[in-house]
Amino acid sequence: MIDPRGQQQPYPHSPPPNPYAQPYAPPSPQPVRVPEPAGDERRMFAAAVDCVLALGGGVPLGMDVLPKLKVEIEPLFLAIACVFGLSIINQVLGAWIFRASLGKWMLRMRVVRETDAGRPGFWRLVHRWLLGMTWLPMQPLRYLTCADGDPYEDHCKLRYVRLKDLRRLRHMG
């Protein structure tokens, strides 16, 4: 910079850098890709396998095996408790640890969060299990009230996806 007398002047100092300023704008967030839900037939067959596991294992366990161990409970109540116990172990703990119950694992499906395809949390799976226990008994009421909407709508924000779709998504991303 040259002043009016023709002498070279040093450039004025710039203000000190702001330590909190970002040198560049943060990158725009990438859209989260989540695989498409598994088909209805696959979901129903997995639910049937899980139901057979709970009933086929819980009833004999409660009616025959545990009464021989001198458990002081009525065998019918014990059988019902065993059915619900096996169901919650399979549906909640299995999905929490392995991302799939036995039926879903056999049909190569996984349970993921609907928002980011991540691993579902324990309490969200418990909530899903409790809603699933009320789904079938509520169908007559749903029919009588002519309820609209998707009966498979998931209020827990979980989704069943095919394993190959999940692997393809992870491989691409």
Side-chain angles (χ1 to χ4, degrees):
M1 186 159 122
I2 299 177
D3 67 3
R5 293 179 283 160
Q7 295 180 348
Q8 184 73 21
Q9 294 291 323
Y11 287 100
H13 293 288
S14 60
N18 184 352
Y20 302 107
Q22 296 180 354
Y24 57 91
S28 62
Q30 295 291 331
V32 177
R33 296 188 323 234
V34 181
E36 289 297 316
D40 286 343
E41 294 84 11
R42 187 180 290 243
R43 290 174 48 175
M44 286 188 278
F45 192 63
V49 170
D50 290 336
C51 183
V52 167
L53 171 74
L55 290 173
V59 171
L61 186 65
M63 297 293 277
D64 296 333
V65 176
L66 291 180
K68 291 178 184 173
L69 299 175
K70 308 289 190 238
V71 177
E72 299 296 326
I73 299 176
E74 183 69 32
L76 180 62
F77 294 126
L78 195 55
I80 292 171
C82 288
V83 167
F84 280 101
L86 284 177
S87 175
I88 200 165
I89 287 170
N90 183 36
Q91 296 289 329
V92 175
L93 292 179
W96 188 47
I97 296 169
F98 303 111
R99 295 179 79 167
S101 64
L102 186 62
K104 292 171 197 63
W105 182 81
M106 288 174 60
L107 291 168
R108 313 270 301 153
M109 293 170 31
R110 296 297 181 263
V111 181
V112 297
R113 284 191 309 258
E114 200 172 66
T115 54
D116 62 355
R119 186 176 292 274
F122 178 78
W123 294 110
R124 189 176 290 198
L125 289 166
V126 170
H127 184 208
R128 169 74 183 227
W129 180 78
L130 289 171
L131 284 176
M133 289 292 116
T134 62
W135 185 82
L136 189 60
M138 292 302 289
Q139 292 312 302
L141 180 64
R142 183 179 171 81
Y143 176 75
L144 291 174
T145 60
C146 301
D148 291 335
D150 184 10
Y152 297 117
E153 182 181 349
D154 192 358
H155 299 283
C156 299
K157 304 296 181 204
L158 295 177
R159 181 183 287 190
Y160 299 145
V161 298
R162 295 185 310 176
L163 180 60
K164 72 177 186 177
D165 292 343
L166 188 62
R167 285 184 177 165
R168 183 179 324 134
L169 180 73
R170 300 221 191 253
H171 179 68
M172 289 171 39

